[in-house]
Amino acid sequence: MVDLKAQLNEAQLSAVNTVNGPVLVIAGAGSGKTRVIEYRVLRLVEEGVDPSSILLLTFTREAARRMLERAAGHDRRCSRVEGGTFHSFGYRLLRRYYASAGLPENFSVMDEDDAGEAIKRCMDRSVQDKRFPKKDTVRSIISACVNRSLSVEEVLAGDYRHFLPFSGEISSLRSRYCDFKRKNGYVDYDDILVLMKALLEKEEVRASFISSYRFVMVDEFQDTNRLQGEITRLLAEPHGNVMVVGDDAQSIYGFRGASHRNIMKFSEVYRGCKIVKLQDNYRSTQPILDLANSVLRSMENKYDKSLVSAHSRDGERPAFFMFGDAYDEACWLASRLEEALAAGQNPGEQAVLFRSAYVSIPLQAELGRRRVAFRVFGGMKFYEAAHIKDAVCLFRLAHNPSDELAWRRVLKMNDGVGEKTSERVISEIRHCRGGMRVYASILRSGKFKGGLKSALEKLAFFLEKASSEPDLALRFDMILEYYAPFFRDRFDDWHLRNGDFTALREIVAHSASADELLASLAIDPPQQCEERGGIVLSTIHSAKGLEWDNVYLIGMQDGVFPSGFSFEKPEEMEEEQRLFYVAITRARGRLILTFHRENARNLLTPFNRVSRFLELPGVADSIDKEDVFSWNSAGRRGRGAYPGCGGEGEALDDRMFDFLDGEV
């Protein structure tokens, strides 16, 4: 038998040795929760529990496989434990009890593409309004209704306010979609959980199925939605032997339907449950944990805990840097990363984290300029996004009207214009020679009729106006004005993509010429490294569960982090604070936070004040005050310009330092 005392700390051992009854394991970041599950499975099997009566539910098959393989490495009988995701377990249940679930024996599970196509088929022909959400957006709305137990109107009010006028039509479409699935023997991803819960509430299923599982364990319980919380309760109801493991402070997927309430109300649902807190951290140095603990203490809905480094009480204190604008920030950071690589540091241990993907765009551009390879987690490569390609093609066309590929993309942005129509227009201008006025005159000629004529006249007016504007930033503003109606029609989530244009405008404004800008986009776009060792650029959401030696948390502006969308929503603001905690605890040895002003008058505004999270009690005391610099045009105050960047530092408004001086 394995000597558990030699393998586990006191809190871990307490959790593993609690065999019967409900147990809530609050596992702080980096506290070794995987070992708890591994050795709890082992302990149960060694105590004589039939492995097939143990059920382990996780959020990925890989997580379940890894934990059970580790347990089986100690005792091969552990490989007989049933483990998997809620959905894979639910699918097996539906296959066994399909008739009780009201399904045909040969029912099919639709993937996301199939579900989208089914919704498209169910769309009423009367829905002709161009503003009506597209099939994939409708699918997301319906899924949110299921996972968050909300009505269509409630989901729209929270996430898609511009679609509220269509609340009734979307609700009707949802009903037709459900009828379509029922008549054709389909279930979608969300149906698996709904039907699983319904089955577990049936007496015959409870008697023959649930009773076969005497011990239930759930990993990452803070990420469960309401349905999964209810399913856990139903599985444990006959015996009460349920252990859930999670960290309330890492519940950050509310937008996917995760319910923070599940883990917070566990002790109310399971009266007399044992609560074990894992607070020994095996990842970060204590100075980093001191900052994390300050954030923890300021949370309202939480389990009290304080992380203590199991490895080192020493280490660098987190540092905070201030910059003039996003490009000063990107230039400094790219230089710092280059220095780290030149010193032989592993590029895979350098991570740049951010709240939203658009925050990283200036850094992507700067790394691309310097040919520093990187990987992006949590979003596609910036220049591959369809709306960015559209805007760039409009810029190309305004600069060079003989760009045939740009013509094709721009023309097809118009309704009813496909390959044949665009080719007809291009054939008229293909051999055109002269300035933009010549091209515009062809677009205005009487050769085109109806809606196409009107669209081409608007395009001609835009191209003439934009091509004559020498200021690249103002030209880009004209492009956005022209593109706005197309943008809103093509993308239901246009309000979430707007930040990308802000970042792209900065790239345009920092370009010496249109030729230089377009050449940089075509020749030296940011290069993502496919190897595991590349520098990592990641959204914080995509970084959860990962860790690096050096972490740079950028974009610490209020309205960026926390997101401005959370300002009037207390629950979402609390989740943003938990997201901040997650970001901090990704760092093992070094953590640097950065902020840029983006204000030519060097004044704080509501749009670029320092993140309110840096004003939380104790946070300022956990940040090294000596490492706060002003940075303008990438010059370090009092220490000269940084390699690769020009300019000199300047003084900052005293209010920038208020949070550091405790005057908040």
Side-chain angles (χ1 to χ4, degrees):
M1 293 182 66
V2 175
D3 182 2
L4 296 179
K5 288 185 178 181
Q7 300 296 323
L8 305 169
N9 64 37
E10 184 177 346
Q12 292 171 332
L13 186 62
S14 175
V16 168
N17 282 336
T18 305
V19 174
N20 295 304
V23 184
L24 169 62
V25 180
I26 298 297
S31 61
K33 71 177 180 66
T34 302
R35 292 177 67 80
V36 169
I37 296 173
E38 169 192 348
Y39 284 103
R40 176 103 183 311
V41 169
L42 177 63
R43 171 67 194 278
L44 291 174
V45 171
E46 289 185 340
E47 286 290 314
V49 175
D50 182 353
S52 64
S53 70
I54 303 173
L55 174 63
L56 170 61
L57 295 176
T58 65
F59 275 84
T60 66
R61 291 185 179 181
E62 175 61 22
R65 183 193 64 78
R66 185 172 62 250
M67 285 185 277
L68 293 180
E69 279 187 354
R70 289 171 59 169
H74 305 295
D75 189 319
R76 294 180 61 185
R77 292 175 295 172
C78 294
S79 62
R80 292 166 45 210
V81 170
E82 181 156 4
T85 65
F86 277 90
H87 288 86
S88 63
F89 181 70
Y91 176 75
R92 293 196 297 272
L93 182 65
L94 293 180
R95 280 299 175 199
R96 181 169 174 177
Y97 296 99
Y98 63 88
S100 296
L103 297 172
E105 183 176 4
N106 63 341
F107 75 86
S108 299
V109 178
M110 297 189 294
D111 61 21
E112 289 301 300
D113 287 340
D114 292 336
E117 286 304 309
I119 288 173
K120 184 177 181 180
R121 287 193 57 183
C122 295
M123 282 186 173
D124 195 315
R125 291 184 179 179
S126 64
V127 178
Q128 299 294 332
D129 197 316
K130 287 173 58 178
R131 296 171 300 167
F132 193 82
K134 298 174 178 59
K135 60 182 176 65
D136 291 337
T137 302
V138 174
R139 168 69 186 131
S140 296
I141 292 169
I142 293 173
S143 181
C145 290
V146 175
N147 287 294
R148 292 155 63 182
S149 301
L150 298 174
S151 67
V152 167
E153 188 170 3
E154 288 171 324
V155 171
L156 295 180
D159 301 332
Y160 302 91
R161 295 192 65 84
H162 50 299
F163 290 137
L164 269 173
F166 300 106
S167 176
E169 290 92 333
I170 296 172
S171 295
S172 297
L173 178 55
R174 181 186 181 187
S175 297
R176 293 196 296 275
Y177 173 58
C178 290
D179 289 342
F180 174 85
K181 291 184 292 181
R182 185 166 50 252
K183 291 177 182 177
N184 292 279
Y186 289 124
V187 296
D188 63 24
Y189 196 67
D190 299 319
D191 291 332
I192 293 176
L193 295 183
V194 174
L195 296 173
M196 180 184 181
K197 177 178 177 291
L199 281 176
L200 294 176
E201 291 173 334
K202 293 180 178 291
E203 191 59 43
E204 65 269 26
V205 177
R206 297 160 78 85
S208 61
F209 186 79
I210 298 181
S211 59
S212 64
Y213 295 102
R214 292 179 49 217
F215 294 90
V216 177
M217 288 186 284
V218 182
D219 186 26
E220 301 285 7
F221 193 65
Q222 79 280 349
D223 293 335
T224 54
N225 60 31
R226 294 183 184 181
L227 272 173
Q228 291 163 329
E230 280 296 299
I231 288 168
T232 301
R233 180 185 62 80
L234 290 167
L235 288 170
E237 199 169 56
H239 45 71
N241 297 325
V242 56
M243 171 184 280
V244 300
V245 182
D247 184 0
D248 56 294
Q250 294 190 70
S251 179
I252 60 172
Y253 297 118
F255 64 95
R256 295 181 186 170
S259 173
H260 186 239
R261 180 182 176 86
N262 283 351
I263 195 167
M264 296 307 300
K265 298 297 182 181
F266 186 87
S267 60
E268 295 181 15
V269 176
Y270 301 90
R271 297 289 182 182
C273 76
K274 180 174 183 177
I275 300 178
V276 179
K277 298 178 182 179
L278 307 184
Q279 301 177 90
D280 287 346
N281 178 284
Y282 295 88
R283 176 186 301 158
S284 307
T285 61
Q286 193 58 48
I288 292 173
L289 297 181
D290 288 341
L291 177 57
N293 288 334
S294 294
V295 177
L296 281 173
R297 284 192 295 270
S298 297
M299 293 181 184
E300 292 187 14
N301 299 304
K302 67 178 186 297
Y303 287 96
D304 290 327
K305 56 182 171 291
S306 182
L307 303 179
V308 178
S309 176
H311 294 318
S312 175
R313 301 289 299 178
D314 301 320
E316 294 182 20
R317 286 162 57 83
F320 182 83
F321 289 75
M322 297 182 185
F323 302 91
D325 61 30
Y327 279 84
D328 298 338
E329 181 181 44
C331 185
W332 176 86
L333 184 52
S335 294
R336 179 121 183 183
L337 290 169
E338 282 185 319
E339 284 184 352
L341 301 185
Q345 294 185 31
N346 183 351
E349 291 297 340
Q350 321 297 318
V352 182
L353 306 185
F354 31 85
R355 170 61 179 85
S356 301
Y358 75 86
V359 176
S360 71
I361 292 170
L363 178 60
Q364 289 189 43
E366 184 64 25
L367 291 175
R369 186 180 72 82
R370 300 181 186 217
R371 299 187 179 277
V372 177
F374 61 91
R375 296 176 288 160
V376 175
F377 296 167
M380 68 170 58
K381 190 175 176 181
F382 168 61
Y383 294 100
E384 294 176 350
H387 59 296
I388 296 300
K389 285 185 175 181
D390 288 346
V392 170
C393 277
L394 284 167
F395 197 100
R396 285 165 52 186
L397 206 53
H399 179 63
N400 176 18
S402 63
D403 188 332
E404 183 173 322
L405 294 179
W407 274 110
R408 290 188 184 279
R409 187 177 188 97
V410 169
L411 289 170
K412 289 179 182 178
M413 286 173 9
N414 294 276
D415 287 340
V417 176
E419 191 63 39
K420 286 182 63 177
T421 303
S422 63
E423 178 58 35
R424 184 160 65 92
V425 176
I426 291 171
S427 67
E428 294 291 335
I429 61 177
R430 180 173 285 129
H431 303 297
C432 179
R433 293 292 180 270
M436 183 63 75
R437 288 187 178 182
V438 178
Y439 286 86
S441 65
I442 294 176
L443 296 180
R444 292 194 183 97
S445 69
K447 298 180 180 181
F448 309 105
K449 306 297 182 182
L452 178 60
K453 180 177 184 293
S454 176
L456 293 181
E457 286 176 348
K458 291 179 182 178
L459 178 58
F461 178 78
F462 154 71
L463 288 174
E464 280 190 307
K465 184 179 179 182
S467 62
S468 63
E469 174 54 62
D471 187 297
L472 297 186
L474 294 179
R475 184 186 301 180
F476 186 72
D477 290 340
M478 294 177 184
I479 288 171
L480 293 187
E481 182 179 359
Y482 172 79
Y483 183 57
F486 300 101
F487 181 48
R488 296 194 179 204
D489 284 344
R490 294 190 67 188
F491 305 102
D492 290 343
D493 60 347
W494 59 266
H495 57 300
L496 301 178
R497 298 177 182 236
N498 266 331
D500 293 349
F501 288 135
T502 301
L504 181 56
R505 189 185 189 281
E506 291 175 352
I507 293 175
V508 173
H510 279 75
S511 299
S513 67
D515 286 326
E516 177 190 285
L517 169 67
L518 295 174
S520 68
L521 296 180
I523 300 172
D524 295 320
Q527 298 297 311
Q528 295 192 51
C529 177
E530 299 300 327
E531 302 175 359
R532 292 182 59 86
I535 291 171
V536 173
L537 275 60
S538 176
T539 62
I540 304 169
H541 284 101
S542 297
K544 185 171 176 289
L546 303 175
E547 57 188 75
W548 297 272
D549 286 345
N550 302 309
V551 170
Y552 301 84
L553 179 55
I554 67 174
M556 291 301 298
Q557 295 87 246
D558 214 46
V560 175
F561 196 16
S563 167
F565 292 114
S566 68
F567 282 1
E568 303 301 324
K569 301 174 182 178
E571 287 189 5
E572 292 187 16
M573 181 59 73
E574 288 184 17
E575 184 162 309
E576 291 286 307
Q577 187 171 342
R578 295 194 291 271
L579 192 62
F580 184 39
Y581 164 80
V582 168
I584 293 168
T585 54
R586 299 311 93 197
R588 295 195 194 103
R590 176 177 296 147
L591 174 66
I592 292 177
L593 301 87
T594 68
F595 163 90
H596 64 263
R597 292 166 295 156
E598 292 191 346
N599 189 301
R601 293 176 299 167
N602 300 323
L603 297 173
L604 283 174
T605 75
F607 304 102
N608 62 358
R609 66 184 289 261
V610 174
S611 170
R612 64 191 64 193
F613 292 153
L614 297 177
E615 300 173 350
L616 294 172
V619 167
D621 293 335
S622 302
I623 297 175
D624 195 336
K625 299 180 181 65
E626 298 303 316
D627 281 341
V628 179
F629 296 94
S630 164
W631 196 276
N632 184 281
S633 299
R636 185 182 291 181
R637 184 175 63 187
R639 302 195 186 182
Y642 204 79
C645 310
E648 296 181 356
E650 62 171 311
L652 285 169
D653 190 305
D654 288 340
R655 289 173 293 171
M656 304 288 278
F657 295 99
D658 283 350
F659 82 96
L660 290 172
D661 297 332
E663 299 173 6
V664 296

